[in-house]
Amino acid sequence: SATSADRGDSMQARDGQAPTQSPSYAENTPANVNLPLSMDPVLAVVTNSTGQQARRHLGDDFSQKIRMRPNSFVATVDSRYVIAAGFWDNSFRVFSAETAKISQIIFGHYGVVTCLARSECNNTSDCYIVSGSEDCTVLLWHWNARTKAIVGEGEVPTPRAILTGHEHTITCVVISAELGLVISGSKYGPLLVHTTFGDLLRSLDGGAELSSPSNLCLSREGVVVASYPSHHLAVFTVNGKRLRNELHSDNIQCILVSRDGEYMMTGGDKGIVEVWRTFNLALLYAFPACDSSIRSLALSHDQKFLMAGLATGSVVVFHIDFNKWHHEFQQRY
């Protein structure tokens, strides 16, 4: 068919960059294989556009000024709550994932909240939530695992710290409670590294081409990966040393780092998910092209499945085996 021919052409075109594989689809697999995703029963039963399906809608109060991106939303570690940014009243809100009802509205910024991030934690421990805004500040909040809410000193939620130093709208933010660091980027500016107490430590400056970072990841070892509108990818240490930067042919929409920090996944407008070695930005692998731009990436808890959210609204699941690129396992493959 024309589609398979096009796919073949696109794979040949990519031969010079990274090895690809022929797509294998779930329909061709044995019936007893456990697929990583199952349809939510509510969505599976309700087929009309009204009724139960509508209650899972996050509302119409989003600001028209900002484009929704993966970092506009954060899920709690137990996936029972979704925290969303981008509302016209400068708030961010906590929704129940089960009912899509608002459980909390948090005010603190003087501009539209543009991005959110959560620190690492387990099901029973508290964590940090950080929010970046058009008001050029990053606020640090405390999520209480017992009350399932953002808490403050009194009854009203108040930020634990106010992080300043940016001169324009915050575009991306990450936090590590283990490292005690918050890293944030802004339009026309560099990445800034703060402590979770609010102290500014340093900037990760890479020159004119590495400004206005759009996507940001932080590994547990303190390696920072950022993508820029100039199509550059850059890797820094939290101590300020730039390890490497590469010019990419795609406009990268999302990046993700594996749990051990060794590997990075990127997706962009060309619809291709690529796997990289984090420290030296060596391109290891390219998955088969999807039929539209890739807007978000997530790894399953066991790190065996990579999920890509497409511009069409579809979710594509890839099987991924990081061992095949690990130097200790090279002899096996």
Side-chain angles (χ1 to χ4, degrees):
S1 70
T3 311
S4 59
D6 292 345
R7 192 179 285 128
D9 291 343
S10 68
M11 298 216 179
Q12 287 165 8
R14 297 200 58 74
D15 278 352
Q17 296 183 43
T20 60
Q21 65 176 27
S22 299
S24 58
Y25 297 102
E27 289 84 355
N28 305 330
T29 57
N32 61 353
V33 172
N34 285 329
L35 296 176
L37 285 185
S38 58
M39 179 66 86
D40 187 310
V42 173
L43 298 178
V45 172
V46 180
T47 53
N48 61 335
S49 59
T50 58
Q52 280 183 297
Q53 218 166 357
R55 70 189 186 125
R56 306 287 282 278
H57 191 253
L58 292 187
D60 299 311
D61 299 329
F62 293 107
S63 169
Q64 300 300 306
K65 291 196 294 182
I66 68 163
R67 178 173 159 249
M68 303 314 274
R69 296 169 57 235
N71 63 9
S72 303
F73 306 95
V74 163
T76 55
V77 71
D78 59 7
S79 299
R80 289 176 59 187
Y81 293 88
V82 175
I83 305 170
F87 295 96
W88 62 268
D89 61 359
N90 304 340
S91 71
F92 63 96
R93 304 180 185 185
V94 183
F95 293 86
S96 162
E98 187 66 33
T99 63
K101 288 181 178 170
I102 298 172
S103 64
Q104 196 176 21
I105 300 178
I106 294 98
F107 293 97
H109 284 287
Y110 293 93
V112 172
V113 180
T114 50
C115 51
L116 294 166
R118 169 177 67 78
S119 66
E120 66 284 42
C121 62
N122 59 37
N123 267 341
T124 56
S125 66
D126 294 3
C127 66
Y128 288 123
I129 301 289
V130 280
S131 56
S133 166
E134 287 184 335
D135 66 10
C136 311
T137 67
V138 174
L139 300 184
L140 182 71
W141 308 83
H142 177 196
W143 172 266
N144 186 301
R146 186 178 56 81
T147 61
K148 308 291 185 191
I150 285 174
V151 294
E153 299 300 326
E155 294 202 359
V156 179
T158 50
R160 285 293 177 96
I162 301 172
L163 281 49
T164 59
H166 290 287
E167 296 178 357
H168 292 277
T169 298
I170 310 297
T171 54
C172 51
V173 64
V174 288
I175 178 167
S176 169
E178 280 185 13
L179 300 173
L181 295 176
V182 179
I183 300 167
S184 52
S186 64
K187 275 186 183 174
Y188 318 118
L191 295 167
L192 296 184
V193 183
H194 288 84
T195 68
T196 46
F197 296 108
D199 302 318
L200 176 59
L201 295 180
R202 64 184 60 85
S203 77
L204 306 179
D205 208 341
E209 61 196 19
L210 300 184
S211 67
S212 303
S214 48
N215 296 287
L216 190 55
C217 275
L218 174 63
S219 78
R220 295 175 73 169
E221 285 76 32
V223 174
V224 182
V225 185
S227 70
Y228 298 84
S230 59
H231 292 211
H232 279 84
L233 275 169
V235 184
F236 301 88
T237 68
V238 286
N239 292 326
K241 180 177 172 60
R242 189 175 77 201
L243 297 176
R244 193 166 182 85
N245 70 292
E246 292 282 341
L247 182 62
H248 198 286
S249 59
D250 197 359
N251 179 31
I252 293 171
Q253 296 281 0
C254 47
I255 59 177
L256 178 67
V257 171
S258 62
R259 187 179 292 139
D260 62 6
E262 294 268 337
Y263 305 99
M264 175 183 74
M265 284 66 60
T266 61
D269 288 344
K270 291 183 178 178
I272 297 168
V273 178
E274 294 175 321
V275 184
W276 309 70
R277 200 176 300 283
T278 307
F279 303 106
N280 60 3
L281 288 183
L283 184 56
L284 301 171
Y285 192 76
F287 284 100
C290 300
D291 60 3
S292 73
S293 168
I294 290 157
R295 296 296 170 84
S296 59
L297 288 170
L299 277 168
S300 61
H301 185 70
D302 60 10
Q303 305 274 292
K304 289 182 179 176
F305 297 99
L306 178 64
M307 287 153 276
L310 307 186
T312 56
S314 303
V315 175
V316 176
V317 185
F318 298 106
H319 183 268
I320 190 163
D321 178 13
F322 291 115
N323 284 339
K324 84 164 70 167
W325 301 297
H326 198 286
H327 63 92
E328 291 177 6
F329 296 89
Q330 284 293 316
Q331 304 308 315
R332 282 173 43 198
Y333 289 86

